[in-house]
Amino acid sequence: GVPSARFGRDLWQDVRYALRTARKQPGFTTAAVLTLALGIGANTAIFSLVNATLFWRPPVRASEQLVYVFNGGVGGIFSYPGYVALRDGNRVFDGCLVWGGITASLNADAVTDVVSGLIVTGNFFDVLGVTAARGRLLTSADDVTVGGHPVAVISHQLWQTRFGARSDIVGHEVLLNGHRFAIVGITPPEFTGPQLGATGDLYVPMMMQAVMRPPRARFSGEMNPDLLKNARSSWLVAIGRLKPGVTPAQAASDLGAVATHFIRTLDPSAPARQIPVTPMDDGDPTQREQIRSVATLLGSIVAVVLLIACVNVANLLLSRTASRRRELALRLAIGASRWRIVRQLVTESVLLALGGGLVGLGLAWLLVRSFAAWTPSGALPIAIDFAIDRRVLLFSFVLSLVTGVAFGLLPALRASRPDLLPALKDDSFVPDERSRRLGLKRALVVAEVALSVSLLVVAGLFVRSLDAARAIDPGIDADKLLTAPLSVNLLRYTRAQGRQFYQQVIERSQALPGVESAAIARVAVLTGGSRTSSFAVEGRPASRDRFTSEGAGTVAEDPDAINVNVVSPGFFRTLGIGLVRGRDFGIRDGENAPPVAIVTEAAARRHFPDSDPIGQRVSLNGPAGPWLQIVGVVRDSKYADIAESPLPVVYLPLMQNHETGVTLYVRSTVPPASLAGAIRGEVKALEPNLPFTTRTMAETIGVSLSPARIGAILISAFGGLALLLAAVGVYGVLAFSIARRTREMGIRVALGADARKVFALVVREGMTLVAIGMVIGLGGAALGATWLGSFLYTIGPRDPVAFATAPGVLAVVALLACLVPAYRAMRISPVVALRQ
């Protein structure tokens, strides 16, 4: 109606007037827009992380009907027989699939690469509702006969990068793990896999498990036992499509009964099994909690940066409205309502914020691109595809609107209540008005300093944490080591072939110039991997009734659990791990020799606190044996993670415990990276179909520290931005104060005040505000720092160095910000000042 039309005309009038005002004051407009752009851009960039993870939705049909099914067993995953029982016994799914991650050797056009992918049931794409971009996808007909379906589907990205988007790819044959497969189709570009971060370039039928996912632990190329028949080997992730009207809670109840029946066929005394069912759109719960904690930390930090930017712009607006007192008083005097004045000023603020949001989008895009560029491969636990999509654009727009109202409302309310008579006279010397305005500006600066020092403390904690992590002694000679995976499990080597290959690789590597020694280990150290087993000592009662080699809990939680690694002779010498007592493995510890083991000092302290472990017999399969005799104790070293406490580890000799997927370690007397080409040549000469990559141990440690490094860089950058904004705020309020007190300063100088005293007066005023803000900020940082403990390495959340450094840095920068206004104040001419 008429009121709405009038409101629209008035709003358009406000917008036009705001644009004219912005053009008339380009300096103010530029400063406000850029300040807001920094805060809004940082928040938009972090929201793109949240959008790409917490709001990720799989590109499948009707994803709201899909659920993850988590077995109550180890890792929440299923064995293949367990999946069959679930598939055939449930009454709640229209379809149920499982998949497992694979790494494969891809040999095409005489080039061998390592590709990651998924081994899936034949109904995988049908249940998900994914269609092919070219050719066809896997079907149930491709998943019937064990070993009888050598077909594969590749991702759109692999088709473009590895095969050059060749048009005849469908039907093209390649070697996967040394076996010939036909490519039958390509997935659509938007489909990257069924789980965030579980990107797949290759999809093969489940019935090809013996070729594509051979067991690595304890089994050789003969593939016994078969994972498709082993009901106790859990390695598959399950997804189901709910029938119409079925809720996740109803599905969990039904599946729990199915799982309980199945598990009791294996163990009649087993307790009832619970099966958690989670909507696929909500993501993996474990993964989601990790992402949420990181997003909360970063989101809180950039929110503080935006708040500081808003305080700065609010101070700018207070300064500008001071110069518009006469204009606003005149509008009120001729009949404008206070609401009309407030709306006009808020409109101007919102337009500034929208400009800041537009520039901030460009800044966010640059931040996201830069982050993706300098994040090293393997630094993040999941693969993330950042994008500035519609949700991010909407977030930036809404944030800009809210920001405009937030920083503009208080100055607008203050400006809409001037003292009319002095304002109409344009009398700037109004003590009450001046003191009120300066009081608000000072309060805003105190808040700005408090927020900045809190953020600087957080940045200091992360930098200190990174420095502490870098200083950790890994217990190995990292700067002398080159590593390379030897995944002969991909090629189904027999036990004899594997042993011969390992021996030849070690001999050829040690024969190269610059190589001091070489060795092999099953578990690659400092890569986050581990392998645990039950641990029993002969003649000692166990604290558990049942033992299984694969069923132990984590070493930290389970007193009967221990980390297990299988290594070749010379492993400890190659890595620089000292022998404390006893002996190392040697050629005498062959397949037919008595089984032996070596333990770390941590294992000796835990399991043999009052006796010498040398000569003691232990078992990794429970009190019934078989038994291994401990022949040596080695020093503790970092095993899975650089920041871990010493872990109990038992080492077994490779000749007595054949492994089909290992890592080669080469100790050099020259820079390790310089040996990569020579070692690659020796390995390729022995097995051209084996994918081969190298990495120095220093690089491995660097990757393990990448999350800490990324956090320190990001948070330090935001802390530096907050410091800059706080310095600008201190400078601004002092400059405004000097401008408003020019007459006062002139009188002081005219009455004989020394210029140095005027200088000290201004500096003292500024630093008093800074000191108050620092006290408040340090108190807030101390209260909130406990939450940061889980993100820090080796230092506490109230590290005194961080808490001392942050206010020191801020004090220096703030003092520099005070000097320019103070210098101007001491140079005020009394004649000019008294003339005002």
Side-chain angles (χ1 to χ4, degrees), residues 390-629:
R390 287 180 296 178
R391 186 182 286 112
V392 176
L393 292 174
L394 179 61
F395 170 83
S396 181
F397 177 72
V398 172
L399 182 63
S400 299
L401 288 179
V402 173
T403 299
V405 174
F407 74 76
L409 187 58
L410 184 59
L413 292 173
R414 178 59 62 91
S416 66
R417 297 176 59 186
D419 193 342
L420 286 181
L421 186 57
L424 289 172
K425 291 180 180 180
D426 197 22
D427 186 358
S428 60
F429 188 68
V430 184
D432 291 340
E433 176 68 19
R434 186 197 69 192
S435 61
R436 286 198 303 269
R437 199 178 304 277
L438 279 174
L440 177 58
K441 290 175 70 65
R442 287 169 179 150
L444 290 175
V445 168
V446 168
E448 192 172 7
V449 170
L451 293 170
S452 299
V453 77
S454 297
L455 194 49
L456 285 174
V457 167
V458 174
L461 287 172
F462 274 81
V463 171
R464 287 271 299 149
S465 172
L466 178 61
D467 288 342
R470 286 171 172 165
I472 294 174
D473 179 11
I476 59 177
D477 296 332
D479 56 339
K480 298 180 179 180
L481 294 173
L482 185 73
T483 69
L486 300 178
S487 302
V488 297
N489 59 302
L490 301 180
L491 304 179
R492 296 186 68 193
Y493 271 39
T494 63
R495 185 183 299 263
Q497 289 173 326
R499 286 182 172 175
Q500 182 182 13
F501 178 75
Y502 295 154
Q503 187 61 35
Q504 289 177 329
V505 168
I506 291 175
E507 290 175 354
R508 289 193 177 209
S509 297
Q510 291 181 150
L512 292 172
V515 173
E516 186 176 334
S517 63
I520 280 172
R522 164 64 177 86
V523 178
V525 299
L526 295 177
T527 59
S530 63
R531 178 177 168 192
T532 62
S533 179
S534 303
F535 190 80
V537 179
E538 187 178 30
R540 185 183 303 172
S543 59
R544 294 194 309 177
D545 294 331
R546 297 190 304 122
F547 280 77
T548 63
S549 60
E550 303 295 332
T554 65
V555 174
E557 298 170 351
D558 190 343
D560 289 323
I562 196 168
N563 289 289
V564 181
N565 205 350
V566 177
V567 300
S568 68
F571 171 81
F572 304 111
R573 182 178 70 256
T574 299
L575 268 70
I577 301 174
L579 188 68
V580 177
R581 54 187 179 275
R583 67 173 179 86
D584 196 353
F585 297 135
I587 19 177
R588 56 177 160 172
D589 301 313
E591 187 174 12
N592 298 319
V596 294
I598 293 175
V599 297
T600 60
E601 292 175 299
R605 287 192 299 269
R606 173 184 284 194
H607 297 286
F608 307 97
D610 303 317
S611 60
D612 186 355
I614 301 297
Q616 302 259 21
R617 297 211 307 166
V618 298
S619 170
L620 303 182
N621 292 277
W627 299 100
L628 316 167
Q629 186 176 39

Side-chain angles (χ1 to χ4, degrees), residues 264-323:
R264 285 177 177 168
T265 62
L266 305 176
D267 182 0
S269 63
R273 181 63 54 90
Q274 300 295 320
I275 301 293
V277 174
T278 303
M280 192 173 179
D281 282 348
D282 290 348
D284 185 323
T286 303
Q287 191 181 75
R288 190 177 183 84
E289 285 304 314
Q290 295 173 341
I291 295 171
R292 184 183 287 115
S293 63
V294 173
T296 301
L297 172 65
L298 294 178
S300 301
I301 288 171
V302 294
V304 170
V305 172
L306 179 58
L307 190 55
I308 295 172
C310 288
V311 171
N312 251 358
V313 177
N315 262 331
L316 284 174
L317 288 176
L318 283 172
S319 300
R320 187 173 73 161
T321 54
S323 65

Side-chain angles (χ1 to χ4, degrees), residues 118-203:
L118 305 178
I119 183 168
V120 302
T121 47
N123 63 346
F124 178 84
F125 293 105
D126 181 57
V127 173
L128 293 180
V130 178
T131 56
R134 281 176 175 260
R136 69 173 181 87
L137 301 180
L138 300 179
T139 67
S140 297
D142 298 316
D143 197 31
V144 177
T145 306
V146 174
H149 307 280
V151 294
V153 170
I154 62 174
S155 70
H156 193 273
Q157 181 182 12
L158 186 67
W159 173 55
Q160 291 186 317
T161 58
R162 180 63 174 81
F163 297 99
R166 55 188 293 178
S167 58
D168 62 342
I169 191 66
V170 176
H172 184 66
E173 291 190 340
V174 297
L175 290 178
L176 296 177
N177 293 350
H179 291 257
R180 195 169 297 278
F181 277 70
I183 297 175
V184 296
I186 302 172
T187 60
E190 65 276 8
F191 183 77
T192 58
Q195 188 178 41
L196 176 63
T199 54
D201 283 331
L202 180 71
Y203 301 86

Side-chain angles (χ1 to χ4, degrees), residues 743-754 758 830-831 834:
R743 181 181 297 181
E744 173 197 337
M745 295 296 180
I747 293 172
R748 287 177 180 269
V749 175
L751 292 176
D754 186 81
V758 174
V831 176
L834 292 175

Side-chain angles (χ1 to χ4, degrees), residues 209 304 362 370 648 682 710 782 787 826:
Q209 171 265 319
V304 170
S370 300
E682 296 297 334
I710 292 170
W787 177 59
M826 69 182 289

